[in-house]
């Protein structure tokens, strides 16, 4: 063994010894955040991170929690469920995270939630709406409503507000989120007197939607429900107009992206989406949040940013009530959250670890979605 | 009936793009007996070259036909250079190595291009420059054809004819056919095999870039991984038509495009890939050389 090899070996050995040591040395409690910061869902992750960062700054500038500042560590899962699992494992093992925040797309949250449940580290998803995210996982929570409600909102909106009779549904068969919303809409809309005239699906990586839309066009629906994610929805909308389909498209919070209108090139003008909040709200909490957000990021916060902000504050609030940073105690206090005044509404965590809130419907305007109406949960 | 005609149009448009990509696979296979797995990524790079040319020209210029022609020509040239470099600096030094080495190298180049693009251009979908404002050029009842769709088909036909001209009526084309027929004998007759191989890569890569520009105009979002699916499908199209055969690649591409559209239109999007590959298996079982494949005739 020559000198260079010996040195190299020593370096490897040293890094192996030091790596776990470093993580444990920090005495700031670590909150791990995993989000899709690159890839096709990057708009989701980036806006959510801004919300988390704003809340983190506020928390730490007010003496932190229980006399300690929180350390937020961000990991990119590239919008991939397998990467999300790796990211969360890394946050727990190497960073020593006592709580986890993330992700937006349900598929990633379902995968990573399993890891959090196994390791008994509490996780809050800011905006994953598929029911399976929190199902049978006592350590996994969310601060948003769930798909059965979101699907109900659009079915009710179509039947009661738009007063349409027929609808086509076009969903992304490779995303749990999209399948979940489509299923609920397909159940609820006929109950409200509507008729489903076409059911078509696509896959996330598809680049061409002309054959799906041709099928839908032949069925002549009054509206098309497209509960997909923004990048495909933009292409679908363009293609629909190209094929001469003029009816409005309806969608869910998967449409939330600062680039939606630009990507769709005006093709979504006059369409509607359900969402968690509107930045136009007159509530003082919302106004304060919007101002602080604009001052920091020079852009208007969308619902994902607002939910990232709420999720972070709810976690901090639970830590404060727990009085320590033991994952088990934090979990119990998140579960005990009642009537927390968040910017996306009053948040109460129910026994299924979901938040029960009303939804807003936004209408896509010339350059951004605008507030249209609010729909409350069924009594 | 109208729905069927519309689906047929959709299929032909998409199939024309497959055909353009498949031509690159089939020509390279004909000459080198190499399945160039990086071909789909050359397609992707073509789209990015076009994107950056569009960006450099500015929004106003990209809306003109002249801008469009510039974007198309630039992307084809850019990809041609890339294809040339891949062959010259990666495949050629390996030309005496076992065929498997070459295949692994092709997969390596493919991964390199994908992750290079992700690192360099970012992984968020980019909006492709719209140099041709979308309009309906043909309408019969509810059957419509937009100018962008028409452009895909027209440019594909022109490029296909151009390729036929080059392969059959020029001396470099004759050299290509000779090398494809018998590489050693062609070399002995004084044909510069290296030049022919380079030329084949240049030609195939330019066609892939053309397909990328046409498809991205129609579905204006481009991604670092956008080449994987079309690349795989075009490869299947080339095999389906009989790999090494120019007409086979065109027929295979059209068949694939129409089959995919019909499966989605009258079945389920989840079945699409399954059914398309089932067609491939059946064709290969019945005719192992592909639809037009025969061991000797018309290789290019």
């Amino acid at each position: 063994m020559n000198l260079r090899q010996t040195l190299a070996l020593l370096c490897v050995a040293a890094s192996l010894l030091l790596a776990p040591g470093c993580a444990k040395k920090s005495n700031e409690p670590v909150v791990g955040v995993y989000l899709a910061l690159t890839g096709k869902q990057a708009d989701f992750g980036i806006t959510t991170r801004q919300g988390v960062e704003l809340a983190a700054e506020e928390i730490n500038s007010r003496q932190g929690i229980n006399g300690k500042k929180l350390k937020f560590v961000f990991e990119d899962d590239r919008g991939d469920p397998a990467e999300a699992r790796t990211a969360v494992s890394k946050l727990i093992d190497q960073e020593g995270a006592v709580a986890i925040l993330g992700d937006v797309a349900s598929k990633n949250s379902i995968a990573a939630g399993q890891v959090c449940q196994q390791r008994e580290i509490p996780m809050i998803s800011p905006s994953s709406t598929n029911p399976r995210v929190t199902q049978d996982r006592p350590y996994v929570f969310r601060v948003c409503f769930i798909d059965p409600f979101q699907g109900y909102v659009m079915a009710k909106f179509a039947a009661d507000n738009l007063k349409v009779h027929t609808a086509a549904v076009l969903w992304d068969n490779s995303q749990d989120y999209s399948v979940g919303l489509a299923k609920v809409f397909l159940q609820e809309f006929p109950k409200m007197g509507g008729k489903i005239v076409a059911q078509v699906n696509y896959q996330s990586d598809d680049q061409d939607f002309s054959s799906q839309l041709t099928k839908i066009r032949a069925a002549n629906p009054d509206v098309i429900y497209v509960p997909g994610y923004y990048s495909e929805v933009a292409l679908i909308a363009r293609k629909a107009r190209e094929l001469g389909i003029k009816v409005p498209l309806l969608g869910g919070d998967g449409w939330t992206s600062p680039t939606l209108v630009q990507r769709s090139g005006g093709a979504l003008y006059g369409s509607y989406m359900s969402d968690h909040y509107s930045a136009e709200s007159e509530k003082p909490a919302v106004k304060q949040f919007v101002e602080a957000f604009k001052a920091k990021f020079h852009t208007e916060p969308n619902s994902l940013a607002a939910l990232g902000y709420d999720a972070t504050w709810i976690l901090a609030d639970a830590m404060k009530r727990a009085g320590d940073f033991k994952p088990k105690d934090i979990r119990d206090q998140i579960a005990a959250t009642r009537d927390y005044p968040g910017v996306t509404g009053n948040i109460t965590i129910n026994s299924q670890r979901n938040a029960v809130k009303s939804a807003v419907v936004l209408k896509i305007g010339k350059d951004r979605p605008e507030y249209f109406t609010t729909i409350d949960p069924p009594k | 009936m109208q729905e069927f005609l519309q689906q047929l149009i959709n299929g032909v448009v998409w199939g024309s793009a497959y055909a353009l990509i498949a031509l690159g696979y089939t020509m390279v296979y004909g000459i080198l007996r190499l399945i160039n797995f990086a071909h789909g990524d050359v397609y992707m790079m073509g789209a990015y070259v076009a994107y950056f040319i569009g960006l450099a020209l500015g929004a106003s210029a990209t809306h003109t036909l002249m801008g469009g022609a510039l974007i198309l020509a630039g992307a084809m040239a850019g990809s041609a250079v890339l294809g040339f470099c891949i062959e010259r600096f990666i495949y050629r030094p390996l030309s005496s190595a076992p065929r498997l080495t070459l295949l692994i190298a092709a997969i390596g180049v493919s991964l390199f291009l994908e992750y290079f693009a992700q690192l360099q251009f970012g992984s968020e979908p980019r909006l492709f420059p719209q140099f041709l404002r979308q309009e309906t050029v043909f309408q019969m009842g509810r059957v419509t054809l937009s100018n962008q769709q028409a452009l895909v088909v027209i440019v594909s036909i022109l490029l296909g004819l151009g390729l036929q001209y080059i392969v059959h009526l020029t001396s470099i084309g004759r050299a290509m056919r000779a090398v494809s027929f018998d590489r050693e004998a062609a070399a002995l007759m004084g044909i510069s095999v290296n030049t022919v191989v380079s030329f084949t890569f240049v030609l195939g890569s330019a066609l892939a870039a053309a397909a990328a520009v046409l498809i991205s105009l129609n579905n204006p979002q481009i991604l670092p991984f956008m080449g994987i699916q079309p690349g795989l499908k075009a490869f299947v199209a080339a095999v389906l038509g009989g790999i090494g055969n120019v007409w086979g690649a065109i027929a295979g591409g059209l068949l694939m495009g129409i089959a995919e559209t019909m499966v989605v239109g009258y079945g389920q999007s989840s079945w699409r890939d399954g059914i398309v590959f089932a067609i491939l298996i059946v064709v290969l079982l019945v005719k192992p050389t592909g639809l037009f494949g025969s061991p000797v005739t018309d290789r290019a």
Side-chain angles (χ1 to χ4, degrees):
Chain A
M1 197 185 274
N2 64 27
L3 186 66
R4 259 172 64 193
Q5 282 173 320
T6 318
L7 272 179
L9 215 95
L10 275 176
C11 285
V12 173
S15 60
L16 282 177
L17 282 173
L18 287 177
C22 288
K24 297 226 169 76
K25 241 183 247 165
S26 150
N27 58 19
E28 289 173 337
V30 171
V31 176
V33 191
Y34 70 99
L35 290 165
L37 298 170
T38 59
K40 273 179 119 179
Q41 301 160 6
D43 282 359
F44 289 167
I46 291 164
T47 41
T48 306
R49 180 174 63 184
Q50 292 175 333
V52 173
E53 276 172 348
L54 179 63
E57 197 180 281
E58 291 175 5
I59 292 162
N60 283 338
S61 68
R62 295 173 199 168
Q63 277 91 46
I65 303 293
N66 309 332
K68 282 190 178 175
K69 293 214 152 104
L70 299 181
K71 187 179 166 200
F72 287 81
V73 180
F74 292 87
E75 276 291 326
D76 178 14
D77 65 28
R78 297 193 279 151
D80 179 83
E83 293 276 335
R85 296 176 65 103
T86 314
V88 166
S89 303
K90 190 176 160 195
L91 288 167
I92 296 173
D93 294 334
Q94 290 181 23
E95 304 289 345
V98 295
I100 299 287
L101 296 173
D103 190 354
V104 179
S106 297
K107 201 172 179 173
N108 309 334
S109 301
I110 291 171
Q114 195 192 6
V115 179
C116 292
Q117 178 58 37
Q118 276 167 1
R119 312 295 300 272
E120 303 198 329
I121 299 288
M123 168 182 136
I124 304 179
S125 166
S127 42
S128 290
T129 49
N130 188 289
R132 279 171 48 213
V133 172
T134 56
Q135 223 162 49
D136 303 321
R137 287 179 181 165
Y139 273 82
V140 182
F141 301 85
R142 75 179 110 213
V143 295
C144 54
F145 48 65
I146 55 175
D147 289 343
F149 174 57
Q150 196 172 191
Y152 161 88
V153 164
M154 261 306 148
K156 188 171 159 58
F157 178 74
D160 294 357
N161 296 58
L162 296 179
K163 300 198 179 357
V164 295
H165 305 292
T166 58
V169 183
L170 174 61
W171 71 92
D172 181 346
N173 218 8
S174 50
Q175 291 290 346
D176 296 319
Y177 160 81
S178 190
V179 174
L181 278 184
K183 225 159 115 187
V184 177
F185 189 91
L186 289 172
Q187 275 168 13
E188 295 292 331
F189 189 60
K191 275 193 217 161
M192 297 166 186
K195 193 170 166 231
I196 305 286
V197 290
Q199 305 180 26
V200 201
N201 56 51
Y202 61 92
Q203 313 286 320
S204 283
D205 286 334
D206 285 359
Q207 286 162 30
D208 184 61
F209 302 93
S210 45
S211 53
Q212 283 94 335
L213 288 163
T214 299
K215 199 170 170 181
I216 287 175
R217 191 182 66 181
N220 233 336
D222 295 333
V223 287
I224 309 174
Y225 187 49
V226 196
Y229 290 139
Y230 62 91
S231 61
E232 281 98 7
V233 168
L235 289 182
I236 289 170
R238 279 172 181 266
K239 192 53 87 176
R241 303 307 176 226
E242 182 184 328
L243 285 168
I245 301 174
K246 294 192 175 67
V247 299
L249 270 51
L250 309 180
D253 58 342
W255 286 21
T256 306
S257 153
T259 57
L260 178 78
V261 172
Q262 184 208 358
R263 281 178 201 283
S264 58
L268 280 172
Y269 182 69
S271 291
Y272 302 89
M273 62 184 277
S274 58
D275 209 344
H276 303 268
Y277 110 123
S278 163
E280 296 162 59
S281 165
E282 291 296 315
K283 283 185 199 151
V286 178
K287 280 188 137 175
Q288 204 186 341
F289 164 70
V290 172
E291 261 165 46
F293 192 95
K294 274 185 175 162
K296 193 167 159 66
F297 299 109
H298 312 289
T299 171
E300 193 169 82
N302 65 21
S303 65
L304 297 179
L307 286 168
Y309 180 85
D310 275 355
T312 313
W313 264 112
I314 281 188
L315 177 63
D317 183 59
M319 285 172 162
K320 197 185 280 175
R321 281 183 280 122
D324 59 43
F325 296 101
K326 293 198 185 96
K328 170 89 178 57
D329 298 345
I330 299 172
R331 189 224 86 92
D332 291 345
Q333 290 307 321
I334 300 172
T337 302
R338 296 284 173 275
D339 274 323
Y340 179 87
V343 295
T344 60
N346 276 354
I347 297 170
T348 294
I349 302 290
N350 69 8
S351 59
Q352 270 80 50
R353 297 168 297 284
N354 304 321
V356 180
K357 295 191 288 195
S358 46
V360 298
V361 174
L362 307 177
K363 183 173 185 175
I364 314 295
K366 278 265 180 277
D367 44 34
R368 67 188 181 104
E370 288 151 11
Y371 175 79
F372 194 76
T373 184
T374 301
I375 292 182
D376 293 320
K379 291 277 146 47
Chain B
M1 189 59 200
Q2 289 195 347
E3 189 188 345
F4 179 80
L5 278 178
Q6 183 72 57
Q7 295 289 22
L8 200 64
I9 291 177
N10 300 336
V12 169
V13 169
W14 200 235
S16 308
Y18 281 156
L20 282 182
I21 311 171
L23 283 171
Y25 272 111
T26 224
M27 287 196 299
V28 167
Y29 184 85
I31 304 269
L32 275 190
R33 301 289 180 273
L34 163 72
I35 293 161
N36 179 19
F37 277 114
H39 194 58
D41 304 292
V42 172
Y43 161 89
M44 173 271 294
M45 290 301 262
Y48 274 96
V49 172
Y51 170 81
F52 286 111
I53 295 174
L55 219 60
L57 288 178
S60 55
T62 56
H63 283 301
T64 63
L65 215 57
M66 191 57 209
L70 222 67
I71 287 174
L72 183 66
M76 288 175 74
S79 280
V81 171
L82 178 66
F84 175 83
C85 291
I86 291 173
E87 192 278 325
R88 180 66 191 80
F89 299 114
I90 294 158
Y91 297 151
R92 194 177 300 174
L94 293 172
S95 59
S96 54
R99 186 136 302 147
L100 190 64
T101 314
L102 218 57
L103 199 70
I104 302 287
I107 294 171
V109 173
S110 161
L111 290 173
F112 171 78
L113 289 177
E114 281 159 20
Y115 287 93
F116 172 81
Q118 191 174 31
L119 202 66
Q120 213 55 39
F121 313 139
S123 54
E124 72 280 4
R126 302 243 192 163
L127 199 58
F128 194 78
Q130 295 287 289
F131 55 79
L132 185 64
R133 209 175 284 282
Q134 183 193 294
E135 277 162 38
T136 303
V137 284
F138 170 80
Q139 184 142 20
M140 194 187 72
R142 300 201 68 177
V143 183
T144 64
L145 176 72
S146 77
N147 52 354
Q148 295 179 349
Q149 289 177 311
L151 192 72
V152 176
V153 179
I154 291 167
V155 173
S156 298
I157 292 173
L158 289 179
L159 289 173
L161 290 175
L163 185 70
Q164 284 300 317
Y165 171 76
I166 291 175
V167 169
H168 289 283
L169 297 170
T170 62
S171 59
I172 183 83
R174 196 174 310 126
M176 283 170 77
R177 283 181 289 143
V179 172
S180 162
F181 190 75
D182 188 331
R183 190 188 171 107
E184 278 73 35
L188 287 174
M189 292 297 138
I191 292 172
S192 164
V193 175
N194 281 342
T195 312
V196 169
V197 172
S198 286
F199 184 73
T200 308
F201 269 88
V202 164
L203 213 55
S205 304
L207 291 178
V213 172
L214 296 170
I215 281 301
S216 305
L217 182 65
N218 236 296
N219 302 287
Q221 275 187 13
I222 60 172
L223 287 155
F225 295 103
M226 67 184 276
I228 300 176
Q229 266 211 3
L232 187 67
K233 299 291 173 53
F235 168 60
V236 173
V239 175
L240 196 63
I243 193 148
N245 183 301
V246 168
W247 285 116
I250 295 173
L254 286 173
L255 189 66
M256 288 278 294
I258 294 170
E260 285 198 348
T261 320
M262 292 300 168
V263 172
V264 176
Y266 295 99
Q268 284 257 351
S269 74
S270 347
W271 302 344
R272 182 188 53 206
D273 293 359
I275 290 186
V276 162
F277 283 96
I279 294 176
L280 175 72
I281 292 171
V282 170
V283 168
L284 290 187
L285 280 176
V286 178
K287 204 162 181 301
T289 49
L291 291 175
F292 292 76
S294 62
V296 278
T297 57
D298 197 27
R299 279 226 177 111

